[in-house]
């Protein structure tokens, strides 16, 4: 089952990176690799991305892979949002934004993130 797919919301296409409920590092790394490859094939400045991480746990190897993906996909992404950050993951997310220079907004629920994205 693919964890990278387009969804439609408000007449716009949003690329959903569904990393929710991933507790196994190998599964997380496979999902990240799939997303990286998919995003790399898209035209520059063409994507609205919604990354869903609710219920997931990431180790240092997975966090490194996420950072590399965020850095690599910069040219292809017009706007990004993430949903499901909790506790320490919020701190890690803010550090990631600082290190990569990306402007990705965090939201508590999917609909708020989708609304943000379709207005970008």
């Amino acid at each position: 089952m693919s964890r990278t797919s387009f969804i439609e919301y408000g007449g716009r296409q949003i690329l959903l990176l569904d990393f929710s409920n991933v507790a196994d590092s190998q599964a997380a790394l496979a999902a990240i690799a799939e997303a990286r490859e998919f995003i790399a094939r898209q035209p520059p400045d063409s994507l609205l991305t919604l990354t869903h991480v609710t219920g997931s746990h990431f180790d240092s190897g997975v966090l490194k892979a996420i950072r590399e993906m965020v850095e690599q996909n910069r040219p292809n992404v017009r706007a990004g949002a993430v949903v499901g950050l909790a506790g320490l993951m919020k701190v890690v997310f803010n550090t990631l934004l600082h290190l990569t220079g990306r402007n990705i907004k965090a939201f508590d629920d999917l609909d708020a993130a989708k609304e943000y994205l379709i207005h970008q």
Side-chain angles (χ1 to χ4, degrees), residues 68-91:
E68 290 169 354
M69 179 182 70
V70 169
E71 290 172 339
Q72 176 193 327
N73 72 19
R74 175 193 307 262
N76 306 80
V77 177
R78 172 171 292 158
V82 64
V83 173
L85 297 171
L88 186 57
M89 285 304 297
K90 288 183 181 182
V91 175

Side-chain angles (χ1 to χ4, degrees), residues 45-68:
D45 197 36
S46 66
L47 296 174
L48 303 173
T49 61
L50 174 55
T51 306
H52 187 201
V53 298
T54 301
S56 293
H57 303 281
F58 302 129
D59 63 21
S60 61
V62 172
L63 292 174
K64 180 180 182 239
I66 290 172
R67 178 181 175 186
E68 290 169 354

Side-chain angles (χ1 to χ4, degrees), residues 7-20:
I7 60 172
E8 188 169 318
Y9 184 84
R12 307 271 313 264
Q13 280 202 326
I14 297 172
L15 183 62
L16 176 62
L17 309 177
D18 184 4
F19 302 155
S20 62

